[in-house]
Each structure stands twice: as C-alpha cells, then as structure tokens.
Amino acid sequence: MAPKAVVGRVSLYLRQLEAYQHQGCTTVSSSQLGQPLAIKNAQVRKDLAFFGQFGHPGIGYRIDELIDALRHILGIDREWPLALVGMGNLGRALLKYRGFRARGFQVVALFDNDPEKIGQDYDGLVVEPIESLRKTLAPRQISLALLCVPAEAAQRVADLLVASGIRGILNFAPLPLVVPAHVSLVAVDLSIQLENLAYKVQKTSGEVSCAG
Amino acid sequence: MAPKAVVGRVSLYLRQLEAYQHQGCTTVSSSQLGQPLAIKNAQVRKDLAFFGQFGHPGIGYRIDELIDALRHILGIDREWPLALVGMGNLGRALLKYRGFRARGFQVVALFDNDPEKIGQDYDGLVVEPIESLRKTLAPRQISLALLCVPAEAAQRVADLLVASGIRGILNFAPLPLVVPAHVSLVAVDLSIQLENLAYKVQKTSGEVSCAG
DNA sequence: TAGATTGTTAATCGATTAACAATC
DNA sequence: TAGATTGTTAATCGATTAACAATC
C-alpha cells in the first residue's frame, strides 16, 4: 500500500488535472502539475511512478488518461454508498455537503439513537435506530461510515459499526478510536487542526514582536 | 518552530493528560501517556523535550504541571475569538460545534455575502456582509477565521481576510489557497480524507479477496 | 541502595530532492 | 536531429526508534 502522504497528494493531482481538463488542456508535465500545488516536479513523478508508468517522455502526461488511471487507483471510479451515524449539527451539515457527491460518495442511510430523531426525514432519508445498523448495512453494500456522534459514544458506536460489517470509518469524534486491523480509519479532528493554527499564529506573532 | 507532526501529537497528549487528570491521576510516565494513543514512549519524551524539560527522572511527568505547560505552548491558555465566514451548511454546523468552545475558541462574528443571510441572527450573532471584515476584525482582536465559503469564492475571500489583517485561516474549501507568509493556513479537506479512506478500504478488500 | 524513568545521543528508517540516462 | 520530459538511481534530509548514562 502506498504511503499515506502519497495517496493524499494523488487526490490533489486529480483535482488539479480536472481543473486543467476543464481549461481544455490535453497534456501536462510534472512541473505544470506540481506548481499550483507547491509540489516539486520530481515528487510528482515519483508519486505517480509508485502506481505505474503513466507518462510519455518528451510529452508529459495525457490528462484524460491520467485522470482515469488515478480515479481507478483511488477507488473512486465507482459509487460509494455511505452510512451517516449521528444526526447532530455536524451530521446534518455533512448530509448536505456537496463535495462528497461530486466525488462519487453518497449518503444513503442515517442512524441515531435519539428517539426524537428516529423516524424523522432528512433530505428524503429516514433516520434509523443504531440497532438497525447490521440489518441495513450488508444488504445495501454500505462499507463506509461517517461517524459524527459525541465523543462519549464514539467508541461504542464504532464497535457496533465494526460488528455490522463496516469496512471504513471517517471519524469526526475528538478521540482516537480502536478498531480491528481489517477496518480502515481516518480521523478528522477539528479541534486539533484549530490548535495547530493557533500555535502557528502565536509563533509567528512572537517572532514579529521580537523583531520589531 | 516545532515540526507540524510534533504539534499535532502535543494536542493529543494534552487530551490524554486531561483524561488522566479527570481519573484522579497525578503523574504519568511517557509509556502511560503514549500507550492509549499508540505512540512509543521514546517519541513522547522526544516530542516534549522539544519544548523544554518537563519530566522528573524516576517519577515521570506531573499531570497538572504538564497540562499547564502544554496549554501555554499551544497558545490555548487564552481565549481565541474566531470569525466564521460563509453561513452555508458547514458554517452553521461549525457555529454550533461544541468542541471548539471547550478548547478556548469562540466564534464571535459571522460573515456572508448573501443578502438573504446578512442581518440574520444565528445563536445571538448577526451576519455581517463580507465588506465589513476589515471594520470588524481589528477592533475585536480577531486573528483567526474559519473559511467555509464555496470553492469558487474561497481565494477571493481569503484575500479579503488577509487584507483585513487576519493572522490564521482554517480552510474548509476543497482547494489549496495562496496566502502571504505572515498568514498561517491549515486545510481541512473532507473529500480528500474520504478518498483516502476509500483507497485504504479498496486496498484491503483486494488483499482479502486475493487471499480467500 | 535498588527500581523507575527521564533527556539525549546514536542508529535506523522513510520521505524528499537532485541528477541523468532513456525515450519520444 | 535537437529539445523536452519521463522514470529511476543516488544523495540528502528529516523523523522515528533504540539504547543508555544521569537522576530521583
């Protein structure tokens, strides 16, 4: 499996390629592809070479060709149905988020354990109780879940997702989850990102005030 | 400035320390601190040593002491007022997100350019037009912004934020922004995270089906 | 003193960058 | 052929891990 950093950059390349395609370009060099993303040309070539030979010496990369290849590599040359667990503010926002659908991800099932929310309709989907996870996931071939429940409930719900046959979890709860090796996990921790930002700003402020 | 990876882990240490504190512990060793986070004891010690000497040989780290030190290092031993720009689904969700306030971050000003939204009240805050950024940011000492506008508008709004004196931007738009060196930037790209997850799941599925 | 645990140095590992022969 | 650009090898850089003297 490719290093995590490489996969992240491949997603960026794909976006940039789509932008070039939109502009009517047909080929790009590694320099052209990397430049708007602040990635060196050698890095671009090395990252792509990890997955195969896509370039043409003297010419560069054919955009249509590379887009197809990268979509296949990332596994997004198909539709991915998603389960959304936890219908709080964040969950409801993610349900309406356009960015997912544009990349082939679509929320097709909603879950919560609040009796007030169960049975309610959001965007044409009815909220099911957490207990229905197993019953719903398998027949609908749902292998990915967005986990948006409060921190206290996150590990318990993650265990239920695992028991229900989930294959990957995008975790929004601010704590590290423990899942078995056959289940993939990606964490989106907004507080940590913001703390990172605060640290950077504080650091640069310090430098400025020392210099001035 | 500490490497980005170190700062991210320091945020995790802080959370774990707070959990131990909550349980009534008074000291932890680097092994105890790292274990629930799946971080090796040597890494914990090295990360902390980057910022100074906090440990006591033979004893470990005094929890209260280390929490205070880390909060100071991260710059969260103070309140950070935030501007929230873009009152779409994501923006409204972030406004209600509890995780920020618990760490000292508080949204104190809202901006949008939709005439329908300007003047509206969300959680006691009135949405201002984008043009009011400069007028509002400086006197209220707001140096951080959450940028939740659509991709097409993101760079333009980022430029306005920079011109209005912002010091740091947490970018939720799915494209890389260009900002001057004195402005810090952290990107939260949900589509890329989800593509990462899809890649991992696809990869492990492949291995399983080959083996079986 | 014996046991525990730190901070730090040295060794390992992995990721990035530079250079260049091979190719169109 | 000359110019451009690839894929890949070697060199550099940075981050992680192991080992251990110093300390409580």
Side-chain angles (χ1 to χ4, degrees):
Chain A
M1 178 138 50
K4 191 171 131 51
V6 173
V7 180
R9 285 194 299 264
V10 168
S11 287
L12 294 173
Y13 300 149
L14 181 54
R15 272 208 204 128
Q16 191 60 47
L17 286 163
E18 287 165 348
Y20 280 130
Q21 187 184 48
H22 197 75
Q23 286 169 32
C25 309
T26 56
T27 64
V28 275
S29 68
S30 54
S31 306
Q32 288 171 322
L33 185 50
Q35 199 238 315
L37 303 167
I39 297 172
K40 296 248 185 324
N41 57 36
Q43 178 102 72
V44 172
R45 292 199 300 279
K46 191 128 221 241
D47 284 346
L48 296 177
F50 190 95
F51 300 102
Q53 300 210 164
F54 304 109
H56 304 274
I59 290 162
Y61 299 87
R62 301 220 166 83
I63 290 175
D64 295 359
E65 215 175 274
L66 189 54
I67 286 177
D68 286 351
L70 297 188
R71 288 179 62 82
H72 182 71
I73 287 162
L74 290 174
I76 57 172
D77 55 346
R78 47 162 286 194
E79 290 283 315
W80 286 91
L82 304 178
L84 173 51
V85 190
M87 294 305 296
N89 293 304
L90 188 60
R92 295 199 302 273
L94 291 175
L95 177 57
K96 292 192 183 161
Y97 182 58
R98 299 272 184 81
F100 290 154
R101 215 162 302 179
R103 313 303 280 165
F105 299 100
Q106 186 167 7
V107 177
V108 300
L110 309 178
F111 300 89
D112 204 299
N113 70 347
D114 178 351
E116 294 275 309
K117 284 180 182 142
I118 293 166
Q120 270 202 44
D121 184 298
Y122 290 96
D123 277 24
L125 296 172
V126 175
V127 180
E128 302 177 52
I130 300 274
E131 297 78 44
S132 306
L133 273 175
R134 187 197 286 270
K135 203 175 77 233
T136 302
L137 260 43
R140 306 198 57 183
Q141 309 246 51
I142 301 171
S143 42
L144 301 182
L146 309 176
L147 184 56
C148 318
V149 304
E152 313 81 68
Q155 184 61 59
R156 194 175 51 77
V157 175
D159 293 345
L160 282 169
L161 282 165
V162 170
S164 308
I166 208 76
R167 304 292 321 283
I169 298 174
L170 190 61
N171 175 36
F172 289 87
L175 87 174
L177 294 182
V178 180
V179 295
H182 71 275
V183 175
S184 301
L185 187 64
V186 169
V188 176
D189 197 319
L190 298 180
S191 297
I192 286 189
Q193 304 286 303
L194 200 41
E195 284 179 22
N196 250 287
L197 187 65
Y199 172 78
K200 283 182 173 186
V201 165
Q202 182 205 220
K203 250 350 196 200
T204 53
S205 300
E207 281 159 25
V208 167
S209 76
C210 286
Chain B
M1 177 142 46
K4 191 172 133 45
V6 173
V7 181
R9 285 194 298 266
V10 168
S11 286
L12 293 174
Y13 300 149
L14 181 53
R15 273 208 204 127
Q16 190 60 47
L17 286 163
E18 287 165 348
Y20 280 128
Q21 188 183 48
H22 198 73
Q23 287 169 32
C25 309
T26 57
T27 65
V28 276
S29 68
S30 53
S31 307
Q32 288 171 323
L33 186 49
Q35 198 237 315
L37 303 167
I39 297 172
K40 296 245 184 324
N41 57 36
Q43 178 100 72
V44 172
R45 292 199 300 279
K46 191 128 220 242
D47 285 346
L48 296 176
F50 190 94
F51 299 102
Q53 301 211 163
F54 304 109
H56 305 273
I59 290 162
Y61 300 87
R62 303 219 165 82
I63 289 176
D64 294 358
E65 212 174 275
L66 189 54
I67 286 177
D68 285 350
L70 296 188
R71 288 179 60 83
H72 182 71
I73 287 163
L74 288 174
I76 56 172
D77 55 345
R78 46 162 285 193
E79 290 283 316
W80 286 91
L82 305 178
L84 172 51
V85 190
M87 295 304 295
N89 293 304
L90 189 61
R92 295 199 302 273
L94 291 175
L95 177 57
K96 293 192 182 160
Y97 183 59
R98 298 270 184 80
F100 290 154
R101 214 161 304 179
R103 313 302 280 164
F105 299 100
Q106 184 166 9
V107 176
V108 300
L110 309 178
F111 300 89
D112 203 299
N113 69 347
D114 178 351
E116 294 274 310
K117 285 179 182 143
I118 294 165
Q120 271 201 42
D121 184 298
Y122 291 95
D123 276 23
L125 297 172
V126 175
V127 179
E128 301 177 53
I130 300 275
E131 298 77 46
S132 306
L133 273 174
R134 187 197 288 269
K135 204 177 74 232
T136 303
L137 260 44
R140 305 197 56 184
Q141 309 248 49
I142 301 172
S143 43
L144 302 181
L146 308 176
L147 184 56
C148 318
V149 304
E152 314 81 69
Q155 184 62 58
R156 193 176 50 77
V157 175
D159 293 345
L160 282 169
L161 281 165
V162 170
S164 307
I166 208 78
R167 303 292 321 282
I169 299 175
L170 190 59
N171 174 37
F172 289 87
L175 87 175
L177 295 181
V178 180
V179 296
H182 71 274
V183 175
S184 301
L185 187 64
V186 170
V188 176
D189 196 319
L190 298 180
S191 297
I192 286 190
Q193 306 285 303
L194 200 41
E195 286 179 21
N196 249 288
L197 187 66
Y199 172 79
K200 283 183 173 185
V201 165
Q202 183 205 220
K203 252 346 196 202
T204 52
S205 301
E207 281 159 27
V208 167
S209 74
C210 286

